[in-house]
């Protein structure tokens, strides 16, 4: 599975961004997907994940109520709608696939990161 993420950028605190990640390849159809992030000097951490059929969704406590994960099964694309952004959300966001859960060590496929910067 190949993953192509996009949508990062610079936004003021309280603003919104939407990340996208397109999955392609033989095993891309209905593979579980998710998002992780890594801030400078910190370990990669779980943000959200979505099941292969789009029904199951899990979120990190730090983003619950602000971020929404979704997917388009036809387009093999997942989205992360990020609202009420805070400076502590600043990180490189990575698209993940092949695993439904919060353990970054269990992820099968990683996309390239996309930078999200939230200014105060």
């Amino acid at each position: 599975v190949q993953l192509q993420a996009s949508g990062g950028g610079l936004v003021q605190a309280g603003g919104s961004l939407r990340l996208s990640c397109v999955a392609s390849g033989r095993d891309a159809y209905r593979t579980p997907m998710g998002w992780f992030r890594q801030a400078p000097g910190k370990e990669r951490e779980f943000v959200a994940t979505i099941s292969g059929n789009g029904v199951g969704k899990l979120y990190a406590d730090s983003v619950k109520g602000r971020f929404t994960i979704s997917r388009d099964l036809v387009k093999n694309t997942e989205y992360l709608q990020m609202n009420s952004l805070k400076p502590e959300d600043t990180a490189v966001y990575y698209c993940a696939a092949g695993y439904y859960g919060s353990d970054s060590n269990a992820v099968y496929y990683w996309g390239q990161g996309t930078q999200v910067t939230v200014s105060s």
Side-chain angles (χ1 to χ4, degrees), residues 5-6 17-18 21 28 48 65 69 87 100 102:
S6 61
L17 281 175
R18 189 176 82 153
C21 178
I69 192 169
Y100 176 68
S102 61

Side-chain angles (χ1 to χ4, degrees), residues 37 45-48 58-67 83-86 88-89 93:
R37 66 186 182 186
E45 66 174 7
F46 167 72
V47 176
L58 299 173
Y59 296 93
D61 288 342
S62 59
V63 307
K64 277 181 183 176
R66 300 188 298 122
F67 291 10
N83 298 330
S84 302
L85 282 161
K86 305 175 181 180
E88 50 263 45
D89 294 318
Y93 283 69

